[in-house]
Amino acid sequence: MAGIAVFIGTVNYFVLDALESIARSQILAAIESSAKAFERYETGRNDLYRTRVAAMSEAAHLKATLSIPGVDSETARYAGVSLREISDMPVILLLDGGGVPLADVNDYGVQSGQIAGVPGIDRVFERGETINAVSVLGKHHVRLAVAPVISGGNLVGAVLIGEPLGTSQDIESMTDLSSVSVGLLLNGKISDPGTEEIESDVAESLAALPTGPGESAAGLTEELLTSDGPYFVRTVPL
């Protein structure tokens, strides 16, 4: 999704201390290695989301509930609550066959109009595909997966699960993959960068970096020149 990326970099004073004994190429190689590790981690996490939401969509009681013509929200919510036994995600949403929210199981504050903005959501209802995406739900950017619910050969609804980006746990998980700084760029703003060493001018330069998969230099390591010295950084689009 354009405008959303992880940045992986070496804070300037680490670089300055290291330049005397470690070649520039080694610093860039460390960032490259960290970026690849994150990409593998993200692929695995997306696969896990897809597996969880697919299992939830196969629940017999859910299929029966969403097959009820004009099923009401309370009935749908009751079916959704039982899905927590499969995966207790912060966001669990049941949609009807037209993509309209029936039950916000955990009261995350998802607005009906936000579902149409989920990248690839049309593939769920038009092709019966399971998707991964990052989109705004409630007040936050959410990493999510959506699976169709098929009953008797008919698509009767869908299940959406997800968790917010930028939580301390999310940043910690990403940082554990690397010895360098890791944070999130959300539409030009740094979200909980997970490090106190980023100065204001560095933050401004990071916010201006390309983040979309099709944008020039996205996914490449760049050197940012700041008032305190160089800052090597690479963005990984989500």
Side-chain angles (χ1 to χ4, degrees):
M1 179 177 179
I4 303 176
V6 170
F7 68 81
I8 299 172
T10 50
V11 181
N12 50 33
Y13 68 77
F14 288 151
V15 176
L16 293 175
D17 288 344
L19 284 177
E20 293 181 359
S21 58
I22 302 177
R24 173 193 178 97
S25 60
Q26 290 178 297
I27 296 174
L28 298 179
I31 294 179
E32 176 73 13
S33 176
S34 295
K36 289 182 177 179
F38 175 78
E39 288 170 347
R40 290 192 297 270
Y41 171 74
E42 192 68 9
T43 296
R45 180 153 54 176
N46 283 340
D47 289 344
L48 178 61
Y49 275 38
R50 290 168 66 88
T51 298
R52 287 179 175 176
V53 77
M56 296 166 82
S57 71
E58 291 296 327
H61 70 283
L62 178 62
K63 292 186 177 186
T65 299
L66 295 184
S67 296
I68 300 172
V71 62
D72 62 271
S73 295
E74 283 304 313
T75 302
R77 182 182 179 84
Y78 182 79
V81 168
S82 65
L83 294 177
R84 293 174 179 165
E85 298 177 3
I86 300 176
S87 182
D88 190 11
M89 300 290 286
V91 183
I92 301 178
L93 193 68
L94 300 186
L95 311 174
D96 69 11
V100 177
L102 282 173
D104 186 349
V105 178
N106 292 332
D107 297 321
Y108 193 75
V110 178
Q111 301 174 23
S112 59
Q114 294 178 321
I115 301 303
V118 174
I121 192 66
D122 56 322
R123 303 204 316 269
V124 177
F125 294 96
E126 295 176 6
R127 306 177 192 174
E129 297 181 8
T130 298
I131 65 166
N132 291 105
V134 174
S135 190
V136 175
L137 295 180
K139 298 180 180 179
H140 305 95
H141 285 82
V142 174
R143 178 187 285 104
L144 60 88
V146 189
V149 178
I150 309 295
S151 179
N154 298 315
L155 191 152
V156 296
V159 183
L160 181 155
I161 64 172
E163 60 182 349
L165 288 169
T167 63
S168 58
Q169 183 177 3
D170 192 35
I171 296 295
E172 182 178 351
S173 295
M174 292 188 293
T175 303
D176 285 345
L177 296 171
S178 173
S179 59
V180 296
S181 303
V182 177
L184 287 169
L185 294 176
L186 302 179
N187 295 330
K189 296 181 180 180
I190 296 175
S191 175
D192 193 0
T195 176
E196 298 178 355
E197 293 86 358
I198 296 180
E199 302 296 338
S200 59
D201 59 342
V202 178
E204 291 177 3
S205 297
L206 284 171
L209 287 173
T211 54
E215 296 184 55
S216 176
L220 300 177
T221 301
E222 296 190 19
E223 179 179 353
L224 306 180
L225 298 179
T226 73
S227 59
D228 294 322
Y231 186 101
F232 295 86
V233 65
R234 177 185 178 117
T235 57
V236 182
L238 292 180

